[in-house]
Amino acid sequence: MSQHNANPLQLLAVNFPTRVNVTATDADNQAGWLHYNQMVFERIRNDYQPELQSVMSQGIDSRTNNPNYAYDNSASAPDHQVDYTIIIWRYDGNHNPHNTFGLEFADGSGGGFATVGFGILSTGISPALTTGQVFPSQYNGFTQCIGVRGMDKAIFTHELAHTLYSAPHVYGANNVVGKHLYGSVGYGMIGGPMLNCANGWERWYLNRITLQASGVPADVFSANTLSPGGLYTLRDFISTGDVVRIRLPNSRAADGTAQYLWLENHQGTSVWDNAAWVLDGQSPPQPFPAPPRGLVAYVEDLHVLQSAPNPPGGSIEAGGLRILPSGGLIDADHNGQTSTFNNHFWGNVVHDFVRRRANPTGPMSGQNSPIDDRNGDRVIDHAEFTNSSSGQPHDHNEGFVFMSFDHANLDGLLGTFMTYNQVGQKLGLDRNPTIFPSQVFDPNTQQLSPIHLSGLSVEIVGISGGDITVRVRFDDVAVAQNTRWTGNVALHPVPNSAYAAVVQPNVVLTINQSGTPNRTTPIGSTGTKADFINPTRLTINTGAEVLLKDATLLIHDRSTAPYTWTTTRFCASPTTPTSKWTTSRC
């Protein structure tokens, strides 16, 4: 995360010199892991004082812990408590006596907790401690409880991120989407199977990198802050920290924050750029595909500032990262067929989809998870929780994670179609995917926030020795190839351009209903997926215009014949900035 930083992050760890065993009853098992942790610390206090003193003497008590958990502990004094404790439980869930409550049934088994407990017990316990005792407070460590395995890298970085900066669950971790409607897999400290590294947002938020590319400032807020020609050369992300951050037009939130497009160049120069998943579940195990190399683009909707006194972690930040895959976004239908592909994903069922058509403003791809009424109860379950489901009915997100397309397992959730690595590849108004802010779902109105389209584009214009040069524009309004817009689409005036979109000669712009669910309650009675899809709406806001240059604009829905125009101009009504059309001069 910080290997090239002048003040790199360093973690010093010391193993406790002996394994600590505890004996428990069925009642202890049902009390859960934090109760077990308490038993461990009491055992250390009572039976392992020499070992504890040995650990304490090795430099792992260099800061003040909770409740004096300041954000900067670099100048704080030791407090005779271990700064950070990791408890790794080892248990075999296959040999429990019949009808007993084994450890594999304890809440949280198979994963971890971003705590070792004792946050609420510290008042009663701490005053009784003597120098050198170990009773960390709530966020001074984490618990791993996944069976007989040793330290798990994915759990280590995940729980460390929670305790380091209250990291929210993003990229589908724990099936969390927050106020969004769809999940997106990716990579970073909090998780994701694609790569082992921290992502650019994490490195920036923790002040490990500056926003630059090859020494050129790369924190782009508008056309006025672009580099000459809008050119940026991104070197390898892991070894240099090069990133480009671009504020998305029309993405300002009520809290004053905005959404950003992040660009990173992953060339595989470090082991941290390797896939988090290496071997699959087949017998014998087979290697997963190597992660593709090239430019990665993702949208950040995390509502935090680097200088914010309060770290992220609520539902507004949950699910706040979304990959823009080079393979594009599509509509597809679940055909009801499933497979494990010979135990490829360790027994997880893979659901097969039939590709229908491209949907550049939609949510679905191999990396972005669709929703669906899988159980047929006429409701698509959706929850804004920030961690795992409570297990209560409807308190989860009903959708798909493991997907195949047309009976082919493409390992999409590993990022096989994630990167851009060819000159001429582009993100923009007429490309798939196009660039727009992540949408927030309102369960009361059953509507997603608008898809704010703009003249922002990013194009690869050069590749040399692994370095990738991109051109960024804010006034790229040409629709130069056939494309399709669905959903709640909004066009706005584009600075330095007379038009919000210019549809070029012989190009067809289709505006119609999405083929992917975008609401959780039905509006129709067909008994099909279409009942969960809102009509598409195109809003041309005041001051914006669309120009057709001997091109075709095709607008249609489920109930009417298509409306077709060829050469004309469209704008908002002077009185209402909605989707009213006029064919006269605007």
Side-chain angles (χ1 to χ4, degrees):
M1 180 169 67
S2 63
Q3 63 183 31
H4 67 284
N5 192 283
N7 183 28
L9 175 68
Q10 297 183 17
L11 299 177
L12 172 65
V14 177
N15 286 326
F16 197 76
T18 185
R19 186 176 67 186
V20 179
N21 296 326
V22 295
T23 302
T25 66
D26 268 9
D28 293 316
N29 289 348
Q30 295 181 60
W33 292 107
L34 300 188
H35 173 73
Y36 265 125
N37 287 352
Q38 181 178 1
M39 296 173 67
V40 168
F41 283 111
E42 290 175 348
R43 180 79 191 277
I44 290 174
R45 179 176 60 181
N46 295 331
D47 299 335
Y48 293 103
Q49 277 295 313
E51 292 84 354
L52 177 59
Q53 297 296 339
S54 172
V55 168
M56 295 291 291
S57 67
Q58 298 184 54
I60 60 171
D61 176 26
S62 60
R63 73 177 188 191
T64 302
N65 291 11
N66 281 357
N68 301 313
Y69 205 145
Y71 286 103
D72 181 4
N73 278 281
S74 60
S76 64
D79 60 0
H80 306 291
Q81 292 186 17
V82 173
D83 290 337
Y84 198 91
T85 303
I86 302 171
I87 296 181
I88 302 175
W89 285 98
R90 294 173 61 83
Y91 62 93
D92 188 342
N94 297 319
H95 298 90
N96 290 299
H98 185 59
N99 292 329
T100 62
F101 191 95
L103 287 173
E104 73 275 18
F105 299 114
D107 185 34
S109 294
F113 293 91
T115 179
V116 289
F118 303 101
I120 60 174
L121 299 177
S122 58
T123 301
I125 295 178
S126 296
L129 297 181
T130 59
T131 298
Q133 298 299 327
V134 182
F135 277 87
S137 296
Q138 187 174 4
Y139 296 110
N140 286 355
F142 69 82
T143 305
Q144 175 182 304
C145 40
I146 56 174
V148 297
R149 291 160 56 183
M151 173 66 75
D152 183 270
K153 184 268 169 192
I155 290 180
F156 177 83
T157 54
H158 180 106
E159 306 300 348
L160 178 65
H162 281 320
T163 56
L164 182 64
Y165 70 95
S166 287
H169 283 110
V170 295
Y171 283 145
N174 292 19
N175 193 29
V176 169
V177 298
K179 292 184 177 297
H180 306 88
L181 193 56
Y182 310 104
S184 173
V185 294
Y187 58 93
M189 292 183 68
I190 205 63
M194 296 179 180
L195 303 171
N196 278 308
C197 64
N199 58 54
W201 178 84
E202 291 170 321
R203 295 174 79 178
W204 165 81
Y205 183 69
L206 297 175
N207 202 28
R208 298 289 98 191
I209 60 173
T210 58
L211 300 176
Q212 58 81 37
S214 297
V216 175
D219 193 9
V220 183
F221 289 91
S222 66
N224 296 331
T225 58
L226 285 171
S227 66
L231 298 176
Y232 299 90
T233 298
L234 292 116
R235 299 165 296 178
D236 175 66
F237 168 72
I238 300 292
S239 57
T240 69
D242 278 9
V243 293
V244 174
R245 186 181 79 154
I246 307 166
R247 188 170 68 190
L248 297 183
N250 310 300
S251 70
R252 282 285 190 179
D255 59 9
T257 61
Q259 297 192 39
Y260 293 87
L261 176 67
W262 289 75
L263 306 175
E264 303 169 11
N265 177 13
H266 289 263
Q267 290 296 317
T269 62
S270 166
V271 295
W272 296 104
D273 228 358
N274 292 336
W277 292 358
V278 180
L279 297 176
D280 71 3
Q282 299 184 67
S283 182
Q286 300 299 310
F288 282 110
R293 306 307 180 188
L295 189 75
V296 177
Y298 58 92
V299 172
E300 173 245 311
D301 180 26
L302 288 170
H303 293 266
V304 294
L305 304 173
Q306 194 181 43
S307 58
N310 295 312
S315 63
I316 195 170
E317 298 94 12
L321 296 178
R322 173 174 60 93
I323 290 282
L324 300 183
S326 61
L329 302 170
I330 61 172
D331 285 334
D333 293 328
H334 184 219
N335 60 18
Q337 300 182 28
T338 62
S339 173
T340 65
F341 286 95
N342 197 27
N343 203 40
H344 184 58
F345 292 117
W346 308 285
N348 285 289
V349 174
V350 181
H351 296 265
D352 194 57
F353 285 77
V354 178
R355 294 175 184 267
R356 294 306 184 193
R357 62 187 306 184
N359 188 357
T361 58
M364 186 176 181
S365 73
Q367 281 85 247
N368 302 339
S369 304
I371 60 172
D372 203 353
D373 180 21
R374 291 179 56 179
N375 60 13
D377 65 353
R378 303 290 288 165
V379 175
I380 297 178
D381 296 331
H382 173 255
E384 293 184 1
F385 53 79
T386 61
N387 206 334
S388 300
S389 164
S390 68
Q392 298 300 313
H394 305 293
D395 185 21
H396 68 284
N397 291 305
E398 190 175 7
F400 301 91
V401 176
F402 296 94
M403 297 176 291
S404 59
F405 293 94
D406 301 317
H407 305 290
N409 176 34
L410 305 177
D411 284 317
L413 80 169
L414 299 180
T416 47
F417 302 99
M418 174 176 64
T419 58
Y420 301 80
N421 47 31
Q422 299 178 27
V423 172
Q425 283 186 304
K426 182 179 178 181
L427 290 159
L429 197 60
D430 63 350
R431 302 305 167 108
N432 186 7
T434 188
I435 304 171
F436 58 90
S438 292
Q439 297 174 272
V440 172
F441 181 66
D442 185 338
N444 296 316
T445 64
Q446 288 290 300
Q447 295 288 332
L448 286 162
S449 57
I451 299 169
H452 296 291
L453 300 184
S454 70
L456 177 62
S457 70
V458 176
E459 181 178 6
I460 296 179
V461 295
I463 298 177
S464 176
D467 296 347
I468 297 179
T469 299
V470 299
R471 175 181 290 116
V472 179
R473 293 180 56 188
F474 283 87
D475 59 354
D476 193 355
V477 298
V479 179
Q481 59 185 27
N482 295 347
T483 194
R484 176 182 177 226
W485 298 342
T486 70
N488 185 10
V489 180
L491 292 172
H492 303 264
V494 173
N496 304 316
S497 173
Y499 300 99
V502 178
V503 188
Q504 300 296 315
N506 303 314
V507 169
V508 177
L509 170 59
T510 300
I511 301 174
N512 63 359
Q513 190 179 42
S514 175
T516 301
N518 52 24
R519 57 181 293 134
T520 60
T521 60
I523 55 173
S525 57
T526 67
T528 67
K529 181 178 67 173
D531 293 343
F532 294 92
I533 304 175
N534 284 316
T536 285
R537 176 183 181 181
L538 175 63
T539 300
I540 302 179
N541 287 283
T542 301
E545 296 185 23
V546 176
L547 176 64
L548 304 184
K549 287 186 172 181
D550 294 321
T552 298
L553 177 64
L554 180 66
I555 301 179
H556 63 94
D557 58 27
R558 288 182 293 175
S559 59
T560 63
Y563 298 97
T564 303
W565 289 269
T566 53
T567 305
T568 189
R569 299 165 65 198
F570 296 95
C571 69
S573 163
T575 57
T576 55
T578 63
S579 53
K580 278 192 173 182
W581 298 91
T582 103
T583 56
S584 60
R585 293 186 60 84
C586 299

